[in-house]
Amino acid sequence: MRYLALDIGDKTIGTAVSDLLNLTAQGVTTIIRKSNKEDLKKLGEIISEYEVETLVVGLPKNMNGTEGERCEIVRSFAEKISEKFPEQKIIFQDERLSTVAAERTLLEADLSRRKRKKVIDKMAAVYILQGFLDTLKR
């Protein structure tokens, strides 16, 4: 069983998939959001290509652990995913600081601002999924 992580934003959706042993997360792509219909179509292609059974959706909680407006937006889109792909299980994963960690990693790799912007959401999805996979090992 493979896992697919989603870092859902207003303009993009970062994606990452687990390896077949569920040990590591690899970035797949960043979906540039156009419409829910188009976004779900692209997501369906990834689900099919990687034979994903479970989606790990990053939940952008506040630093104090509460859920705000962003969480409502993410949960709303996850509901649309669930309606379109009812056979896929959805798990929410706390994603606090995943984008910060991804940004730090990309800065350490000395990537230009333009290159960082292209991959930041995909890298955030990698951090979300790797955190989830690490909890599975415990």
Side-chain angles (χ1 to χ4, degrees):
M1 175 174 75
R2 283 186 134 166
Y3 294 94
L4 175 68
L6 304 176
D7 179 39
I8 300 170
D10 291 331
K11 297 179 182 179
T12 60
I13 301 172
T15 62
V17 69
S18 66
D19 65 340
L20 290 172
L21 298 174
N22 294 322
L23 298 174
T24 61
Q26 293 92 30
V28 176
T29 190
T30 300
I31 298 170
I32 306 300
R33 300 199 63 182
K34 295 178 181 164
S35 67
N36 285 339
K37 183 178 179 181
E38 282 293 313
D39 301 344
L40 292 170
K41 181 181 178 217
K42 279 289 218 187
L43 197 53
E45 292 169 4
I46 296 169
I47 289 169
S48 178
E49 179 181 349
Y50 290 96
E51 299 176 349
V52 172
E53 293 181 19
T54 302
L55 304 176
V56 180
V57 176
L59 198 59
K61 292 183 177 183
N62 297 322
M63 290 309 292
N64 64 3
T66 61
E67 293 188 13
E69 183 180 341
R70 289 293 321 151
C71 286
E72 290 176 30
I73 293 168
V74 168
R75 285 187 187 278
S76 174
F77 187 71
E79 200 171 294
K80 289 174 178 53
I81 295 170
S82 187
E83 290 168 5
K84 177 78 173 171
F85 308 105
E87 64 281 359
Q88 308 302 313
K89 182 178 178 185
I90 295 180
I91 297 172
F92 291 98
Q93 173 75 13
D94 185 351
E95 70 154 289
R96 281 179 280 184
L97 301 178
S98 63
T99 303
V100 173
E103 180 80 24
R104 187 172 296 138
T105 299
L106 295 171
L107 281 170
E108 288 173 5
D110 202 27
L111 284 176
S112 69
R113 183 183 311 257
R114 178 178 286 161
K115 288 180 182 178
R116 285 194 313 265
K117 188 175 180 181
K118 289 181 181 178
V119 298
I120 189 72
D121 298 308
K122 178 171 58 172
M123 283 293 297
V126 168
Y127 274 92
I128 291 165
L129 184 53
Q130 193 61 57
F132 174 77
L133 294 173
D134 291 347
T135 60
L136 288 181
K137 294 177 200 172
R138 293 184 199 135

